[in-house]
Amino acid sequence: IYGGYNQTKWLAEQLVAHARTLNIPTVIYRPSLITGSSETGHWNQADVICRIIKGCNLMGVRPLLNETLNLVPVDYVARSIAHFAKERPYQSD
């Protein structure tokens, strides 16, 4: 597995899988691309998507793509995960 992010993601999922073998309830959340706050607009300025949007805005251009981005504000993701964490995890058979 190449890249630190992918390596740590793989390792974390292996740890979760091991926890399941010990009958520890687990859930893995995979949110879409997380953006800045919907309330303040604050965003990690080093994030590649943030840089692309900022660069396009500064140049007054946009990429011609046939793709859509599923962007989700960080405060929404945080509230959602906190809500789901209070519920009983999914139990597979």
Side-chain angles (χ1 to χ4, degrees):
I1 300 173
Y2 179 76
Y5 173 79
N6 291 328
Q7 291 170 349
T8 57
K9 180 179 169 185
W10 178 85
L11 179 59
E13 291 188 6
Q14 296 304 307
L15 292 171
V16 169
H18 179 67
R20 285 182 182 153
T21 67
L22 302 172
N23 293 321
I24 298 171
T26 61
V27 178
I28 296 175
Y29 297 106
R30 291 193 180 101
S32 301
L33 295 172
I34 301 174
T35 65
S37 169
S38 66
E39 296 175 10
T40 66
H42 291 292
W43 194 346
N44 175 6
Q45 299 295 305
D47 180 82
V48 68
I49 300 298
C50 180
R51 287 182 176 193
I52 291 170
I53 292 171
K54 185 176 180 178
C56 290
N57 187 43
L58 290 171
M59 294 186 295
V61 297
R62 67 175 180 88
L64 298 175
L65 301 174
N66 290 328
E67 302 293 326
T68 57
L69 296 176
N70 187 4
L71 304 174
V72 184
V74 66
D75 48 319
Y76 177 81
V77 172
R79 279 193 307 271
S80 298
I81 290 176
H83 172 78
F84 295 139
K86 294 177 185 177
E87 296 187 5
R88 182 181 170 117
Y90 171 77
Q91 299 291 322
S92 61
D93 296 324

